[in-house]
Amino acid sequence: MSLPYTTNPRSWDVLVAGGGTAGAIAGIAAARAGARVLVVEAQGSLGGTGTNAWVTPLMRNVSAGRNLNRGLTDELKARLHARGDGATDPGGNDNWFNPEGMKFVLEEMLLESGGEVLYHTHVVQPLVEEGRITALVVHNKGGLQALRAEVFIDSTGDADVAVGAGVPFHAGDEEGLHQAMSLRFTLAGVDTERLCAFLNARGQGQTGPSFLHFWMVWGKRSTLEPLFREAVAAGVLEERDGDYFQGFSVPGRPGEISFNCPRIRAELNDGADPWHLSAAQTDGRVAIDRLTAFCRRYLEGCESAYIGTVAPMVGVRETRRVKGEYTLTLEDILDCRRFEDSICRNHYPVDIHSVKGGARLLHEREGTAPYFAPDAYHEIPYRAIVPYGITNLLVPGRAASSTFEAQSAIRVQQNCHTMGEAAGIAAAWAAREQGGRVRCVDVAALQTEMRRLGGNV
């Protein structure tokens, strides 16, 4: 069956599919570079993982104590801090933020830059002619319509546009298994003073009630593990609830804790499978009820806590990864590989949330490889966001060209910001000067421009 669609009479220089972590920043960067930009987003706000999946705080990415992701990331943090939705802890970590505040900040940045956004709109199919995308068919309340642009940025996180255009891709590990998904939530009504004292007494040292961070993973020597064992024995929790448990304070939301859990059950691990994704929502909500009961019963200060927020979007760590002009590998990371066409620096560790039996968390920060030095970092090349086979498409973010292991290190939000910023500038330049051909962008000039804008490349 072939469904009819209309073609929007307007066209843009750059169309960004997915206004998430990489896409929102890409749209802002492209608009500031002078392009006519449209960001198409399935949800009702920008930010993706950081907002609609409630992944907070940002994971630190530092070398020799200095942030590696700068440029628009710095501006985003500064704006969050200015409105009381961001904070810096006593240790200098400036990555604490309120996801609801980030929705406002990203939207303001995009609109102030002259970009447009079309919410509640889903990618259907790119239209391709001779290796070039001419338009993107989308679906929303207006039905099916084609949106035309000179350059396209696929920041769907799952490479939906790239795959639809025929770009080859990898998915999962050597067995086709993906990283575990999570459905994040918050507990409100928490007495954080009492919880802070309780955690300190339990050996999980805290700097104060405004910057709480506590955790438990089976077999990782967490001082909370005996409480989890007791709760499993009492039928309050299931064994898998202890595979990963982590809580954080949230700036601008006193008395509320954001949880980086529950993990979704192991067989539901493909965030690009609609049945897995739907079942993850229901499985996650049942697990949230268990974790809420646990916190009320076993964590002092949480006796009267209640569910404040359940993320409207499942937290997906990895699905499809495009095959690009270069594929970043684990060896590149551990050997601190540098690239002439570098667009991003990373020192976040390999961080695999496994669904296999045995080790459930592979997150190593110590070893003999060069990458484990405190002042180390590796680079991500521009070629990793340039997919095979299409002349006018860039794929920044977690779907960039990388192996399963390498993706686990580069997927964190701040790296997605930086890749998105590079993609946005490059797309604007390609649309204006190169007939949309992203491979023709002068990467040395791109690096110079990123540095002029405060970037660290």
Side-chain angles (χ1 to χ4, degrees), residues 182 185 220 232 254 368 391 415 457:
S182 299
F185 74 106
K220 295 289 185 178
V232 171
T368 59
T391 62
N415 285 329
V457 294

Side-chain angles (χ1 to χ4, degrees), residues 33-34 63 144 150 200 221 223 241 307 311 347 359 368 401 406-407 441:
S63 177
L144 292 169
E150 193 73 22
N200 279 323
R221 298 191 298 274
T223 58
D241 295 325
I307 296 171
H347 195 211
T368 59
S401 182
Q407 190 270 357
V441 169

Side-chain angles (χ1 to χ4, degrees), residues 57-70 73-74 77 92-95 333 343-350 365 371 373-380 408-419 456:
L58 300 169
M59 293 295 97
R60 294 193 83 178
N61 182 26
V62 299
S63 177
R66 296 182 179 181
N67 290 335
L68 289 175
N69 305 103
R70 306 296 301 275
T73 300
D74 278 350
K77 292 179 184 178
N93 181 358
D94 61 356
N95 295 305
I333 290 174
I343 56 169
C344 181
R345 293 176 177 176
N346 175 56
H347 195 211
Y348 190 74
V350 170
R365 291 181 179 270
Y371 194 60
D375 60 349
Y377 64 86
H378 72 89
E379 294 178 333
I380 302 171
S408 75
I410 68 172
R411 64 180 170 81
V412 293
Q413 290 181 70
Q414 296 192 78
N415 285 329
C416 292
H417 292 162
T418 304
M419 285 187 272
N456 179 29

Side-chain angles (χ1 to χ4, degrees), residues 285-297:
R285 276 191 281 269
V286 174
I288 286 168
D289 262 348
R290 293 195 300 269
L291 290 170
T292 300
F294 165 80
C295 290
R296 287 171 175 163
R297 181 167 170 177

Side-chain angles (χ1 to χ4, degrees), residues 279-322:
Q281 297 275 183
T282 57
D283 181 71
R285 276 191 281 269
V286 174
I288 286 168
D289 262 348
R290 293 195 300 269
L291 290 170
T292 300
F294 165 80
C295 290
R296 287 171 175 163
R297 181 167 170 177
Y298 292 93
L299 302 185
E300 292 182 16
C302 295
E303 295 88 347
S304 300
Y306 57 91
I307 296 171
T309 298
V310 175
M313 192 171 85
V314 175
V316 178
R317 293 181 171 91
E318 176 269 340
T319 56
R320 307 181 188 116
R321 309 178 310 278
V322 296

Side-chain angles (χ1 to χ4, degrees), residues 98-148:
N98 174 9
E100 294 302 318
M102 184 180 278
K103 293 177 181 178
F104 288 83
V105 171
L106 287 171
E107 188 173 271
E108 289 168 358
M109 290 173 69
L110 177 65
L111 298 181
E112 288 172 4
S113 301
E116 295 179 80
V117 62
L118 184 61
Y119 289 129
H120 307 297
T121 298
H122 295 261
V123 169
V124 176
Q125 181 70 37
L127 304 180
V128 182
E129 295 180 7
E130 299 180 346
R132 180 178 181 274
I133 299 175
T134 59
L136 184 63
V137 177
V138 300
H139 179 262
N140 53 29
K141 289 297 183 179
L144 292 169
Q145 55 184 305
L147 305 175
R148 296 172 298 160

Side-chain angles (χ1 to χ4, degrees), residues 184-208:
R184 294 188 68 147
F185 74 106
T186 72
L187 285 183
V190 176
D191 185 335
T192 52
E193 293 277 356
R194 289 184 59 227
L195 178 58
C196 182
F198 171 79
L199 292 169
N200 279 323
R202 280 271 170 178
Q204 293 220 358
Q206 307 295 317
T207 60

Side-chain angles (χ1 to χ4, degrees), residues 312-447:
M313 192 171 85
V314 175
V316 178
R317 293 181 171 91
E318 176 269 340
T319 56
R320 307 181 188 116
R321 309 178 310 278
V322 296
K323 291 185 179 180
E325 295 294 329
Y326 186 87
T327 298
L328 194 75
T329 67
L330 177 62
E331 290 72 27
D332 291 334
I333 290 174
L334 296 180
D335 292 339
C336 299
R337 180 88 182 268
R338 307 295 202 263
F339 297 93
E340 188 175 343
D341 61 338
S342 168
I343 56 169
C344 181
R345 293 176 177 176
N346 175 56
H347 195 211
Y348 190 74
V350 170
D351 183 23
I352 299 174
H353 291 245
S354 177
V355 297
K356 298 178 182 179
R360 293 293 192 181
L361 179 67
L362 304 175
H363 182 100
E364 303 301 332
R365 291 181 179 270
E366 296 179 353
T368 59
Y371 194 60
F372 294 109
D375 60 349
Y377 64 86
H378 72 89
E379 294 178 333
I380 302 171
Y382 178 71
R383 286 166 292 158
I385 68 171
V386 179
Y388 281 157
I390 301 295
T391 62
N392 63 335
L393 177 66
L394 294 170
V395 186
R398 74 166 195 251
S401 182
S402 59
T403 64
F404 178 77
E405 295 84 1
Q407 190 270 357
S408 75
I410 68 172
R411 64 180 170 81
V412 293
Q413 290 181 70
Q414 296 192 78
N415 285 329
C416 292
H417 292 162
T418 304
M419 285 187 272
E421 184 170 2
I425 297 169
W429 288 4
R432 183 172 64 239
E433 303 166 2
Q434 305 294 343
R437 296 183 297 274
V438 297
R439 288 168 178 78
C440 295
V441 169
D442 183 339
V443 180
L446 173 62
Q447 293 167 332

